[in-house]
Amino acid sequence: MGLIQQLVAIIEGNLNSSLQVKELAERSGYSERWLYSLFLEETGMSVAQYIRRRKLTLAALLLRHTSIPVTDISLMYDFSSLQTFSRSFRQQFTVSPLQYRNAKAWDMQYAQPVLYRLAKDTEFKLMEIAEGNNLPALQNKKCIRLGMDFIHTTKEGRLVYNRNLFQSMISIYEPTYTMSDFMISGEMVPAEYTDSEIIYTFTEIRKSTQPEKLLPDGLYTSQKFKGTYEQIFEFQIYDAMGSLCNNKCILKKGPMYTLFHRTENEDIMNAQFLIPCLKT
């Protein structure tokens, strides 16, 4: 990991606390002034700005995908009051937390992606499907309790996303171990009796099948990645979501689609992420 990513790893693991730039400098072994100048030069924002933007971005994810009350979310990220949180949220996302939670689409240009990438070069493009298929019925459901520490931790030099969510996602893949080529359609939505639930379905496909034959009409972002199930999950969380932010995509509410094609190495998959978006 480079220095910026090392700093980001410390930040990400402390987003539920009032981590000060002085403390970050002490933990990294550099002076506060030098750290401020380096971070600003490399990222275009101060350390304090990045920390606040990341807190609000994770809060936005919880608003979008969970039923956790707004007050609890504000406390999770160490805001002094609900009013302070709501004011800061509106400043970054241009709408209130409640409006964001009830929206049908989200402008990703206002979110702050993690300054952490796994893949140096990946294909990102927009794809419009004019005569698509019907929306697949989402037949399966998995309940998720995220807990009160919706932050990233570090393990062996790598960032690790929320452990409960990671384990739930990996367990979903189990029925696909005997499949060669398939598509997973699904989304993470607020739940009544737990924080969230993933609703999803599998569609076994032929290797030569094109996405246009599988997906509903509309505009999609397309990104490709090759790796194990665990690596594909990491890519989805960091690189794929980061690309949505960097390309100022308007994310459409509803399921996303992932096409999997197994390689000669049965543990390695070619994955294509297709995420519904609105035209800007």
Side-chain angles (χ1 to χ4, degrees), residues 125-170:
K125 66 178 182 179
L126 292 175
M127 172 190 299
E128 185 154 15
I129 296 177
E131 297 181 7
N133 213 323
N134 294 326
L135 179 71
L138 304 181
Q139 302 168 333
N140 305 294
K141 182 185 297 185
K142 181 171 287 291
C143 295
I144 301 173
R145 189 168 297 281
L146 296 170
M148 291 299 288
D149 282 321
F150 194 58
I151 57 175
H152 306 243
T153 56
T154 307
K155 182 180 180 181
E156 298 176 355
R158 297 174 70 90
L159 284 180
V160 179
Y161 207 60
N162 182 276
R163 178 57 56 183
N164 292 343
L165 178 57
F166 173 78
Q167 291 174 343
S168 295
M169 287 297 299
I170 294 301

Side-chain angles (χ1 to χ4, degrees), residues 3 16 56 62 67 69-70 78-79 93-94 103 110-111 114 146 153 192 203-204 224 230 240-241 261 264 269:
L3 178 56
N16 58 347
L56 290 167
L62 293 177
S67 56
V70 177
D78 198 50
F79 284 88
F93 289 96
T94 74
Y110 301 119
V114 186
L146 296 170
T153 56
E192 185 175 358
T203 304
E204 201 156 6
K224 295 181 179 180
E230 291 83 359
M241 289 299 107
H261 299 293
E264 293 181 359
M269 308 290 293

Side-chain angles (χ1 to χ4, degrees), residues 228-243:
T228 64
Y229 286 112
E230 291 83 359
Q231 290 168 337
I232 288 170
F233 172 79
E234 285 188 331
F235 176 83
Q236 177 185 345
I237 292 297
Y238 296 114
D239 297 75
M241 289 299 107
S243 292

Side-chain angles (χ1 to χ4, degrees), residues 3 28 37 64 80 87 89 141 155 179 181 210 221 228 271:
L3 178 56
S28 64
S37 299
R64 201 162 76 219
S80 59
R87 183 171 58 252
F89 191 92
K141 182 185 297 185
K155 182 180 180 181
M179 298 181 186
D181 301 283
Q210 298 298 312
T221 65
T228 64

Side-chain angles (χ1 to χ4, degrees), residues 36-219:
Y36 175 90
S37 299
L38 173 71
F39 206 91
L40 185 63
E41 181 181 347
E42 292 287 331
T43 70
M45 70 188 91
S46 71
V47 179
Q49 286 175 318
Y50 178 77
I51 290 173
R52 172 152 295 212
R53 287 180 58 82
R54 281 298 299 151
K55 287 186 175 188
L56 290 167
T57 296
L58 287 183
L61 284 172
L62 293 177
L63 290 168
R64 201 162 76 219
H65 295 302
T66 79
S67 56
I68 299 174
V70 177
T71 300
D72 290 354
I73 293 174
S74 70
L75 292 173
M76 287 172 69
Y77 295 111
D78 198 50
F79 284 88
S80 59
S81 68
L82 178 59
Q83 290 74 21
T84 301
F85 170 71
S86 297
R87 183 171 58 252
S88 299
F89 191 92
R90 185 183 285 275
Q91 287 174 348
Q92 181 166 325
F93 289 96
T94 74
V95 296
S96 71
L98 187 59
Q99 288 173 318
Y100 193 90
R101 169 163 272 173
N102 294 329
K104 301 297 182 184
W106 301 278
D107 193 335
M108 297 300 288
Q109 70 173 306
Y110 301 119
Q112 175 60 57
V114 186
L115 297 176
Y116 176 74
R117 291 181 62 84
L118 296 164
K120 292 183 179 179
D121 298 299
T122 56
E123 177 189 278
F124 178 94
K125 66 178 182 179
L126 292 175
M127 172 190 299
E128 185 154 15
I129 296 177
E131 297 181 7
N133 213 323
N134 294 326
L135 179 71
L138 304 181
Q139 302 168 333
N140 305 294
K141 182 185 297 185
K142 181 171 287 291
C143 295
I144 301 173
R145 189 168 297 281
L146 296 170
M148 291 299 288
D149 282 321
F150 194 58
I151 57 175
H152 306 243
T153 56
T154 307
K155 182 180 180 181
E156 298 176 355
R158 297 174 70 90
L159 284 180
V160 179
Y161 207 60
N162 182 276
R163 178 57 56 183
N164 292 343
L165 178 57
F166 173 78
Q167 291 174 343
S168 295
M169 287 297 299
I170 294 301
S171 69
I172 284 175
Y173 291 136
E174 289 178 5
T176 70
Y177 292 166
T178 58
M179 298 181 186
S180 176
D181 301 283
F182 58 93
M183 178 176 74
I184 295 182
S185 315
E187 60 178 320
M188 184 174 164
V189 298
E192 185 175 358
Y193 299 110
T194 186
D195 294 333
S196 185
E197 61 188 19
I198 300 174
I199 51 175
Y200 62 99
T201 195
F202 303 108
T203 304
E204 201 156 6
I205 59 176
R206 295 180 179 178
K207 198 161 192 172
S208 58
T209 302
Q210 298 298 312
E212 292 85 346
K213 304 296 184 182
L214 300 169
L215 307 184
D217 299 355
L219 182 69

